[in-house]
Amino acid sequence: MRILLIEDDTILGAAVRDQIASDGHSVDWVTRLDEAGEAIRSAGYDLVLLDLMLPDGRGMSFLKSLRSRGDVSPVIIMTALDQVSDRIEGLNAGADDYLVKPFDLAELSARIGSVARRYSGNPNPIVTHAGLEIDLAARSILRDGKPVQLTAREWALFEAFLSRPGQLLSKAQLEEKLYAFDAEVESNTIEVHVSRLRKKLGAHVIETERGLGYRLGKP
């Protein structure tokens, strides 16, 4: 997934960025709401991590503005505001989850996965497809009963296909899901990852529409 992180605490922001990047997601990190607005106007995000107290305003107002414009991107609030009234306000404003600082980074990863599954329409973390048993929560795969090891980037790419079964995804769309703004991406990177996924999971797990993109293969 491509995730927008809005957090002005540099130590926490770096830790969160590194955590979700290690999970295979691409992360764009900004420290101000004006920067966040620019980022959202220029890219499509699968999820937003939002601090509430920022140098140029309140994250709650930003969230309400997003929802009033019809933006339905999943939002997880990360904040030190721990009163029940704060949580109620955040959830009523349109947040999908509310995480109080300090928090465990592994818990953040779990919450990101949970919210993403709900938005994909299947909250069940166990998915079966073409002889594969996929545990989205544990980030593990069995092929014909045997475990298959994927790198974080391979997992993120496969997850992008799983969340959009039957949908054709262009090379540019996949690059956007896997890499942040400032990342250098070689021209054949997606092709290389797709080839590795086919070797590990089966030749027909990902189909190619020549010149157009890729889609998840038929079950």
Side-chain angles (χ1 to χ4, degrees), residues 75-135:
V75 175
I76 298 177
I77 288 175
M78 308 182 306
T79 181
L81 301 176
D82 61 354
Q83 297 298 308
V84 172
S85 59
D86 297 318
R87 301 184 193 195
I88 291 172
E89 183 184 5
L91 295 171
N92 285 342
D96 298 274
D97 204 348
Y98 194 106
L99 194 56
V100 176
K101 302 173 183 176
F103 50 79
D104 188 273
L105 293 172
E107 181 182 0
L108 174 62
S109 291
R111 288 177 182 257
I112 288 172
S114 176
V115 169
R117 290 194 300 274
R118 291 203 303 269
Y119 266 73
S120 72
N122 182 14
N124 186 352
I126 306 298
V127 177
T128 57
H129 181 85
L132 304 173
E133 182 176 314
I134 305 141
D135 188 329

Short mmCIF file of all heavy atoms in Angstrom, two decimals, residues 75-135:
data_model
loop_
_atom_site.label_atom_id
_atom_site.label_comp_id
_atom_site.label_asym_id
_atom_site.label_seq_id
_atom_site.Cartn_x
_atom_site.Cartn_y
_atom_site.Cartn_z
N VAL A 75 -8.28 6.33 7.38
CA VAL A 75 -7.47 7.21 8.24
C VAL A 75 -7.34 6.59 9.63
O VAL A 75 -8.34 6.22 10.25
CB VAL A 75 -8.09 8.61 8.36
CG1 VAL A 75 -7.29 9.47 9.35
CG2 VAL A 75 -8.15 9.31 7.00
N ILE A 76 -6.10 6.47 10.09
CA ILE A 76 -5.83 6.06 11.47
C ILE A 76 -5.22 7.25 12.20
O ILE A 76 -4.19 7.78 11.77
CB ILE A 76 -4.87 4.85 11.54
CG1 ILE A 76 -5.48 3.63 10.85
CG2 ILE A 76 -4.53 4.52 13.00
CD1 ILE A 76 -4.55 2.41 10.81
N ILE A 77 -5.87 7.68 13.27
CA ILE A 77 -5.34 8.77 14.08
C ILE A 77 -4.29 8.23 15.05
O ILE A 77 -4.49 7.19 15.67
CB ILE A 77 -6.48 9.46 14.86
CG1 ILE A 77 -7.37 10.28 13.90
CG2 ILE A 77 -5.93 10.36 15.97
CD1 ILE A 77 -8.59 10.89 14.56
N MET A 78 -3.15 8.96 15.15
CA MET A 78 -2.11 8.63 16.12
C MET A 78 -1.90 9.88 16.97
O MET A 78 -1.46 10.91 16.44
CB MET A 78 -0.80 8.28 15.42
CG MET A 78 -0.89 7.21 14.34
SD MET A 78 0.74 6.85 13.64
CE MET A 78 1.29 8.51 13.16
N THR A 79 -2.20 9.82 18.25
CA THR A 79 -2.17 11.04 19.06
C THR A 79 -1.94 10.75 20.52
O THR A 79 -2.20 9.63 21.00
CB THR A 79 -3.48 11.82 18.88
OG1 THR A 79 -3.43 13.02 19.65
CG2 THR A 79 -4.67 10.98 19.34
N ALA A 80 -1.45 11.78 21.24
CA ALA A 80 -1.31 11.68 22.68
C ALA A 80 -2.61 12.06 23.39
O ALA A 80 -2.71 11.89 24.61
CB ALA A 80 -0.18 12.59 23.16
N LEU A 81 -3.60 12.57 22.66
CA LEU A 81 -4.88 12.93 23.26
C LEU A 81 -5.64 11.64 23.57
O LEU A 81 -6.12 10.95 22.68
CB LEU A 81 -5.69 13.81 22.29
CG LEU A 81 -5.02 15.13 21.87
CD1 LEU A 81 -5.87 15.86 20.84
CD2 LEU A 81 -4.79 16.00 23.10
N ASP A 82 -5.75 11.35 24.87
CA ASP A 82 -6.24 10.02 25.26
C ASP A 82 -7.59 10.04 25.97
O ASP A 82 -8.03 9.01 26.49
CB ASP A 82 -5.22 9.32 26.15
CG ASP A 82 -4.92 10.09 27.44
OD1 ASP A 82 -5.44 11.22 27.59
OD2 ASP A 82 -4.17 9.57 28.28
N GLN A 83 -8.26 11.19 26.00
CA GLN A 83 -9.57 11.24 26.64
C GLN A 83 -10.62 10.53 25.79
O GLN A 83 -10.53 10.52 24.56
CB GLN A 83 -9.99 12.68 26.88
CG GLN A 83 -9.08 13.45 27.83
CD GLN A 83 -9.04 12.83 29.22
OE1 GLN A 83 -10.09 12.60 29.83
NE2 GLN A 83 -7.84 12.55 29.72
N VAL A 84 -11.59 9.95 26.43
CA VAL A 84 -12.67 9.28 25.69
C VAL A 84 -13.35 10.26 24.74
O VAL A 84 -13.69 9.91 23.60
CB VAL A 84 -13.69 8.67 26.67
CG1 VAL A 84 -14.91 8.15 25.90
CG2 VAL A 84 -13.06 7.55 27.48
N SER A 85 -13.52 11.51 25.18
CA SER A 85 -14.16 12.51 24.32
C SER A 85 -13.35 12.77 23.07
O SER A 85 -13.92 13.01 21.98
CB SER A 85 -14.35 13.82 25.10
OG SER A 85 -13.11 14.32 25.57
N ASP A 86 -12.00 12.71 23.17
CA ASP A 86 -11.15 12.89 21.99
C ASP A 86 -11.34 11.73 21.01
O ASP A 86 -11.43 11.94 19.79
CB ASP A 86 -9.68 12.96 22.40
CG ASP A 86 -9.37 14.15 23.28
OD1 ASP A 86 -9.88 15.24 22.99
OD2 ASP A 86 -8.61 13.99 24.26
N ARG A 87 -11.41 10.53 21.54
CA ARG A 87 -11.59 9.36 20.68
C ARG A 87 -12.94 9.41 19.97
O ARG A 87 -13.03 9.11 18.77
CB ARG A 87 -11.48 8.07 21.50
CG ARG A 87 -10.16 7.92 22.22
CD ARG A 87 -10.08 6.60 22.94
NE ARG A 87 -8.96 6.57 23.87
CZ ARG A 87 -8.48 5.46 24.42
NH1 ARG A 87 -9.02 4.29 24.12
NH2 ARG A 87 -7.46 5.51 25.27
N ILE A 88 -13.96 9.79 20.72
CA ILE A 88 -15.30 9.88 20.13
C ILE A 88 -15.31 10.92 19.02
O ILE A 88 -15.86 10.69 17.93
CB ILE A 88 -16.34 10.22 21.20
CG1 ILE A 88 -16.52 9.04 22.16
CG2 ILE A 88 -17.68 10.59 20.57
CD1 ILE A 88 -17.39 9.34 23.36
N GLU A 89 -14.69 12.08 19.27
CA GLU A 89 -14.65 13.13 18.25
C GLU A 89 -13.92 12.65 16.99
O GLU A 89 -14.38 12.88 15.87
CB GLU A 89 -13.96 14.38 18.79
CG GLU A 89 -13.97 15.54 17.78
CD GLU A 89 -13.22 16.76 18.26
OE1 GLU A 89 -12.60 16.70 19.36
OE2 GLU A 89 -13.23 17.78 17.55
N GLY A 90 -12.81 11.96 17.18
CA GLY A 90 -12.04 11.47 16.04
C GLY A 90 -12.80 10.46 15.21
O GLY A 90 -12.84 10.54 13.98
N LEU A 91 -13.42 9.51 15.87
CA LEU A 91 -14.18 8.48 15.15
C LEU A 91 -15.41 9.08 14.47
O LEU A 91 -15.74 8.72 13.34
CB LEU A 91 -14.58 7.36 16.11
CG LEU A 91 -13.40 6.55 16.69
CD1 LEU A 91 -13.89 5.63 17.80
CD2 LEU A 91 -12.69 5.77 15.60
N ASN A 92 -16.06 10.02 15.15
CA ASN A 92 -17.23 10.67 14.54
C ASN A 92 -16.85 11.57 13.38
O ASN A 92 -17.67 11.83 12.49
CB ASN A 92 -18.00 11.48 15.59
CG ASN A 92 -18.81 10.60 16.53
OD1 ASN A 92 -19.07 9.43 16.23
ND2 ASN A 92 -19.21 11.14 17.67
N ALA A 93 -15.60 12.05 13.38
CA ALA A 93 -15.15 12.90 12.28
C ALA A 93 -14.80 12.09 11.03
O ALA A 93 -14.59 12.66 9.96
CB ALA A 93 -13.93 13.72 12.71
N GLY A 94 -14.73 10.76 11.19
CA GLY A 94 -14.47 9.92 10.02
C GLY A 94 -13.23 9.06 10.11
O GLY A 94 -12.86 8.40 9.12
N ALA A 95 -12.55 9.04 11.27
CA ALA A 95 -11.39 8.17 11.40
C ALA A 95 -11.82 6.71 11.46
O ALA A 95 -12.90 6.39 11.95
CB ALA A 95 -10.60 8.52 12.66
N ASP A 96 -10.98 5.83 10.95
CA ASP A 96 -11.27 4.40 10.97
C ASP A 96 -10.70 3.70 12.19
O ASP A 96 -11.13 2.61 12.54
CB ASP A 96 -10.71 3.75 9.69
CG ASP A 96 -11.36 4.31 8.45
OD1 ASP A 96 -12.43 3.82 8.07
OD2 ASP A 96 -10.81 5.28 7.88
N ASP A 97 -9.72 4.34 12.81
CA ASP A 97 -9.13 3.79 14.02
C ASP A 97 -8.46 4.93 14.77
O ASP A 97 -8.18 5.99 14.20
CB ASP A 97 -8.12 2.68 13.69
CG ASP A 97 -7.91 1.69 14.83
OD1 ASP A 97 -8.37 1.99 15.96
OD2 ASP A 97 -7.30 0.64 14.60
N TYR A 98 -8.19 4.70 16.05
CA TYR A 98 -7.65 5.75 16.92
C TYR A 98 -6.61 5.10 17.81
O TYR A 98 -6.93 4.22 18.62
CB TYR A 98 -8.78 6.36 17.74
CG TYR A 98 -8.45 7.66 18.44
CD1 TYR A 98 -8.95 8.86 17.98
CD2 TYR A 98 -7.68 7.68 19.60
CE1 TYR A 98 -8.68 10.07 18.63
CE2 TYR A 98 -7.39 8.87 20.26
CZ TYR A 98 -7.91 10.06 19.77
OH TYR A 98 -7.65 11.24 20.42
N LEU A 99 -5.36 5.50 17.66
CA LEU A 99 -4.25 4.87 18.39
C LEU A 99 -3.60 5.93 19.28
O LEU A 99 -3.17 6.98 18.81
CB LEU A 99 -3.24 4.32 17.38
CG LEU A 99 -2.17 3.36 17.86
CD1 LEU A 99 -2.79 2.15 18.57
CD2 LEU A 99 -1.33 2.88 16.68
N VAL A 100 -3.54 5.64 20.58
CA VAL A 100 -3.00 6.59 21.55
C VAL A 100 -1.50 6.38 21.74
O VAL A 100 -1.04 5.25 21.94
CB VAL A 100 -3.74 6.46 22.90
CG1 VAL A 100 -3.12 7.39 23.95
CG2 VAL A 100 -5.22 6.79 22.73
N LYS A 101 -0.74 7.47 21.68
CA LYS A 101 0.70 7.42 21.93
C LYS A 101 0.96 7.34 23.44
O LYS A 101 0.21 7.95 24.21
CB LYS A 101 1.38 8.68 21.39
CG LYS A 101 1.19 8.94 19.90
CD LYS A 101 1.78 10.30 19.54
CE LYS A 101 1.55 10.64 18.09
NZ LYS A 101 2.03 12.00 17.75
N PRO A 102 2.02 6.65 23.84
CA PRO A 102 2.92 5.84 23.01
C PRO A 102 2.27 4.50 22.66
O PRO A 102 1.45 3.99 23.42
CB PRO A 102 4.14 5.64 23.91
CG PRO A 102 3.57 5.68 25.31
CD PRO A 102 2.45 6.67 25.26
N PHE A 103 2.64 3.95 21.52
CA PHE A 103 2.07 2.67 21.11
C PHE A 103 3.18 1.77 20.58
O PHE A 103 4.28 2.22 20.25
CB PHE A 103 1.01 2.87 20.02
CG PHE A 103 1.45 3.73 18.86
CD1 PHE A 103 2.26 3.23 17.85
CD2 PHE A 103 1.05 5.06 18.79
CE1 PHE A 103 2.67 4.02 16.79
CE2 PHE A 103 1.45 5.87 17.73
CZ PHE A 103 2.27 5.34 16.74
N ASP A 104 2.87 0.50 20.55
CA ASP A 104 3.82 -0.49 20.03
C ASP A 104 3.76 -0.47 18.50
O ASP A 104 2.67 -0.48 17.91
CB ASP A 104 3.47 -1.88 20.56
CG ASP A 104 4.53 -2.90 20.20
OD1 ASP A 104 4.43 -3.49 19.10
OD2 ASP A 104 5.45 -3.11 21.00
N LEU A 105 4.90 -0.45 17.85
CA LEU A 105 4.93 -0.38 16.39
C LEU A 105 4.31 -1.61 15.74
O LEU A 105 3.70 -1.52 14.68
CB LEU A 105 6.36 -0.17 15.90
CG LEU A 105 6.99 1.18 16.26
CD1 LEU A 105 8.47 1.20 15.91
CD2 LEU A 105 6.26 2.32 15.55
N ALA A 106 4.46 -2.77 16.38
CA ALA A 106 3.84 -3.98 15.84
C ALA A 106 2.32 -3.87 15.88
O ALA A 106 1.62 -4.36 14.98
CB ALA A 106 4.30 -5.20 16.62
N GLU A 107 1.79 -3.21 16.92
CA GLU A 107 0.35 -2.99 16.99
C GLU A 107 -0.10 -2.07 15.86
O GLU A 107 -1.17 -2.28 15.26
CB GLU A 107 -0.05 -2.39 18.33
CG GLU A 107 -1.56 -2.16 18.45
CD GLU A 107 -1.98 -1.51 19.75
OE1 GLU A 107 -1.10 -1.23 20.59
OE2 GLU A 107 -3.20 -1.28 19.93
N LEU A 108 0.68 -1.05 15.56
CA LEU A 108 0.35 -0.16 14.45
C LEU A 108 0.26 -0.96 13.15
O LEU A 108 -0.68 -0.80 12.37
CB LEU A 108 1.38 0.95 14.32
CG LEU A 108 1.23 1.86 13.09
CD1 LEU A 108 -0.09 2.61 13.12
CD2 LEU A 108 2.41 2.84 13.00
N SER A 109 1.23 -1.83 12.91
CA SER A 109 1.21 -2.66 11.70
C SER A 109 -0.05 -3.51 11.65
O SER A 109 -0.68 -3.65 10.59
CB SER A 109 2.44 -3.57 11.66
OG SER A 109 3.62 -2.83 11.44
N ALA A 110 -0.43 -4.07 12.78
CA ALA A 110 -1.63 -4.91 12.84
C ALA A 110 -2.88 -4.09 12.54
O ALA A 110 -3.79 -4.54 11.83
CB ALA A 110 -1.74 -5.59 14.20
N ARG A 111 -2.94 -2.89 13.08
CA ARG A 111 -4.11 -2.04 12.85
C ARG A 111 -4.18 -1.59 11.39
O ARG A 111 -5.28 -1.50 10.82
CB ARG A 111 -4.08 -0.83 13.78
CG ARG A 111 -4.38 -1.19 15.24
CD ARG A 111 -4.26 0.03 16.14
NE ARG A 111 -4.50 -0.29 17.54
CZ ARG A 111 -5.62 -0.01 18.18
NH1 ARG A 111 -6.62 0.57 17.55
NH2 ARG A 111 -5.76 -0.33 19.45
N ILE A 112 -3.04 -1.30 10.78
CA ILE A 112 -3.03 -0.95 9.36
C ILE A 112 -3.59 -2.10 8.54
O ILE A 112 -4.43 -1.92 7.65
CB ILE A 112 -1.59 -0.61 8.91
CG1 ILE A 112 -1.16 0.74 9.49
CG2 ILE A 112 -1.49 -0.58 7.37
CD1 ILE A 112 0.30 1.06 9.26
N GLY A 113 -3.15 -3.32 8.83
CA GLY A 113 -3.65 -4.48 8.11
C GLY A 113 -5.13 -4.70 8.32
O GLY A 113 -5.86 -5.03 7.37
N SER A 114 -5.60 -4.50 9.54
CA SER A 114 -7.01 -4.70 9.84
C SER A 114 -7.89 -3.70 9.09
O SER A 114 -8.91 -4.07 8.50
CB SER A 114 -7.25 -4.56 11.35
OG SER A 114 -8.61 -4.67 11.67
N VAL A 115 -7.49 -2.43 9.12
CA VAL A 115 -8.26 -1.40 8.40
C VAL A 115 -8.25 -1.67 6.90
O VAL A 115 -9.28 -1.56 6.22
CB VAL A 115 -7.71 0.00 8.71
CG1 VAL A 115 -8.31 1.05 7.78
CG2 VAL A 115 -7.99 0.37 10.16
N ALA A 116 -7.10 -2.06 6.37
CA ALA A 116 -7.00 -2.34 4.94
C ALA A 116 -7.91 -3.49 4.52
O ALA A 116 -8.55 -3.45 3.47
CB ALA A 116 -5.55 -2.64 4.56
N ARG A 117 -7.99 -4.52 5.36
CA ARG A 117 -8.85 -5.66 5.03
C ARG A 117 -10.32 -5.25 5.04
O ARG A 117 -11.10 -5.69 4.18
CB ARG A 117 -8.61 -6.81 6.01
CG ARG A 117 -7.26 -7.49 5.84
CD ARG A 117 -7.21 -8.81 6.59
NE ARG A 117 -7.44 -8.67 8.01
CZ ARG A 117 -6.48 -8.39 8.89
NH1 ARG A 117 -5.24 -8.20 8.48
NH2 ARG A 117 -6.76 -8.31 10.19
N ARG A 118 -10.71 -4.43 5.99
CA ARG A 118 -12.10 -3.98 6.03
C ARG A 118 -12.45 -3.20 4.78
O ARG A 118 -13.53 -3.36 4.22
CB ARG A 118 -12.35 -3.12 7.28
CG ARG A 118 -12.29 -3.88 8.58
CD ARG A 118 -13.05 -3.18 9.69
NE ARG A 118 -12.59 -1.82 9.92
CZ ARG A 118 -11.64 -1.49 10.79
NH1 ARG A 118 -11.01 -2.44 11.47
NH2 ARG A 118 -11.31 -0.23 10.98
N TYR A 119 -11.53 -2.37 4.32
CA TYR A 119 -11.81 -1.56 3.13
C TYR A 119 -11.83 -2.42 1.86
O TYR A 119 -12.46 -2.06 0.87
CB TYR A 119 -10.79 -0.43 2.99
CG TYR A 119 -11.26 0.85 3.60
CD1 TYR A 119 -11.31 1.00 4.98
CD2 TYR A 119 -11.69 1.92 2.82
CE1 TYR A 119 -11.75 2.17 5.57
CE2 TYR A 119 -12.13 3.09 3.39
CZ TYR A 119 -12.17 3.22 4.76
OH TYR A 119 -12.61 4.38 5.33
N SER A 120 -11.10 -3.54 1.89
CA SER A 120 -11.10 -4.41 0.70
C SER A 120 -12.39 -5.23 0.61
O SER A 120 -12.64 -5.89 -0.39
CB SER A 120 -9.90 -5.35 0.74
OG SER A 120 -10.07 -6.34 1.74
N GLY A 121 -13.20 -5.17 1.69
CA GLY A 121 -14.47 -5.90 1.69
C GLY A 121 -14.38 -7.28 2.27
O GLY A 121 -15.36 -8.03 2.29
N ASN A 122 -13.20 -7.67 2.76
CA ASN A 122 -13.04 -9.00 3.35
C ASN A 122 -12.23 -8.89 4.64
O ASN A 122 -11.00 -8.91 4.61
CB ASN A 122 -12.33 -9.95 2.38
CG ASN A 122 -12.20 -11.35 2.94
OD1 ASN A 122 -12.84 -11.70 3.92
ND2 ASN A 122 -11.34 -12.16 2.33
N PRO A 123 -12.89 -8.79 5.79
CA PRO A 123 -12.16 -8.66 7.04
C PRO A 123 -11.46 -9.94 7.49
O PRO A 123 -10.64 -9.92 8.41
CB PRO A 123 -13.25 -8.25 8.04
CG PRO A 123 -14.51 -8.83 7.47
CD PRO A 123 -14.35 -8.73 5.98
N ASN A 124 -11.77 -11.06 6.83
CA ASN A 124 -11.13 -12.33 7.18
C ASN A 124 -9.66 -12.30 6.75
O ASN A 124 -9.36 -12.10 5.58
CB ASN A 124 -11.86 -13.47 6.46
CG ASN A 124 -11.34 -14.84 6.89
OD1 ASN A 124 -10.35 -14.94 7.61
ND2 ASN A 124 -12.00 -15.88 6.44
N PRO A 125 -8.73 -12.52 7.67
CA PRO A 125 -7.31 -12.47 7.29
C PRO A 125 -6.84 -13.69 6.50
O PRO A 125 -5.74 -13.67 5.94
CB PRO A 125 -6.59 -12.39 8.64
CG PRO A 125 -7.52 -13.06 9.60
CD PRO A 125 -8.90 -12.73 9.11
N ILE A 126 -7.66 -14.75 6.43
CA ILE A 126 -7.27 -15.96 5.71
C ILE A 126 -7.92 -15.96 4.33
O ILE A 126 -9.15 -15.90 4.21
CB ILE A 126 -7.66 -17.23 6.47
CG1 ILE A 126 -7.09 -17.20 7.90
CG2 ILE A 126 -7.17 -18.46 5.72
CD1 ILE A 126 -5.58 -17.15 7.97
N VAL A 127 -7.10 -16.01 3.28
CA VAL A 127 -7.60 -16.00 1.91
C VAL A 127 -7.03 -17.21 1.19
O VAL A 127 -5.85 -17.56 1.37
CB VAL A 127 -7.17 -14.71 1.18
CG1 VAL A 127 -7.61 -14.73 -0.27
CG2 VAL A 127 -7.73 -13.48 1.89
N THR A 128 -7.84 -17.87 0.38
CA THR A 128 -7.34 -18.96 -0.47
C THR A 128 -7.45 -18.55 -1.93
O THR A 128 -8.42 -17.92 -2.34
CB THR A 128 -8.13 -20.26 -0.23
OG1 THR A 128 -9.52 -20.03 -0.48
CG2 THR A 128 -7.95 -20.75 1.20
N HIS A 129 -6.44 -18.92 -2.71
CA HIS A 129 -6.43 -18.57 -4.12
C HIS A 129 -5.48 -19.50 -4.86
O HIS A 129 -4.29 -19.56 -4.56
CB HIS A 129 -5.99 -17.11 -4.32
CG HIS A 129 -5.99 -16.68 -5.75
ND1 HIS A 129 -7.12 -16.21 -6.39
CD2 HIS A 129 -5.00 -16.67 -6.69
CE1 HIS A 129 -6.82 -15.91 -7.64
NE2 HIS A 129 -5.55 -16.19 -7.85
N ALA A 130 -6.03 -20.22 -5.84
CA ALA A 130 -5.24 -21.05 -6.76
C ALA A 130 -4.21 -21.93 -6.03
O ALA A 130 -3.03 -21.95 -6.37
CB ALA A 130 -4.52 -20.14 -7.77
N GLY A 131 -4.69 -22.67 -5.02
CA GLY A 131 -3.79 -23.57 -4.31
C GLY A 131 -2.95 -22.91 -3.23
O GLY A 131 -2.12 -23.57 -2.60
N LEU A 132 -3.17 -21.62 -3.01
CA LEU A 132 -2.43 -20.89 -1.99
C LEU A 132 -3.33 -20.61 -0.79
O LEU A 132 -4.51 -20.27 -0.96
CB LEU A 132 -1.93 -19.55 -2.54
CG LEU A 132 -1.06 -19.59 -3.80
CD1 LEU A 132 -0.81 -18.18 -4.30
CD2 LEU A 132 0.26 -20.31 -3.51
N GLU A 133 -2.78 -20.75 0.40
CA GLU A 133 -3.47 -20.32 1.61
C GLU A 133 -2.70 -19.13 2.17
O GLU A 133 -1.54 -19.26 2.55
CB GLU A 133 -3.54 -21.44 2.66
CG GLU A 133 -4.30 -21.02 3.91
CD GLU A 133 -4.45 -22.14 4.92
OE1 GLU A 133 -4.81 -23.26 4.50
OE2 GLU A 133 -4.19 -21.90 6.11
N ILE A 134 -3.36 -17.97 2.18
CA ILE A 134 -2.69 -16.72 2.49
C ILE A 134 -3.23 -16.16 3.80
O ILE A 134 -4.43 -15.94 3.93
CB ILE A 134 -2.92 -15.70 1.35
CG1 ILE A 134 -2.49 -16.31 0.01
CG2 ILE A 134 -2.19 -14.40 1.61
CD1 ILE A 134 -3.40 -15.96 -1.14
N ASP A 135 -2.33 -15.93 4.74
CA ASP A 135 -2.70 -15.32 6.02
C ASP A 135 -2.24 -13.86 5.96
O ASP A 135 -1.05 -13.56 6.11
CB ASP A 135 -2.03 -16.05 7.18
CG ASP A 135 -2.53 -15.57 8.53
OD1 ASP A 135 -2.89 -14.38 8.65
OD2 ASP A 135 -2.55 -16.38 9.48
#
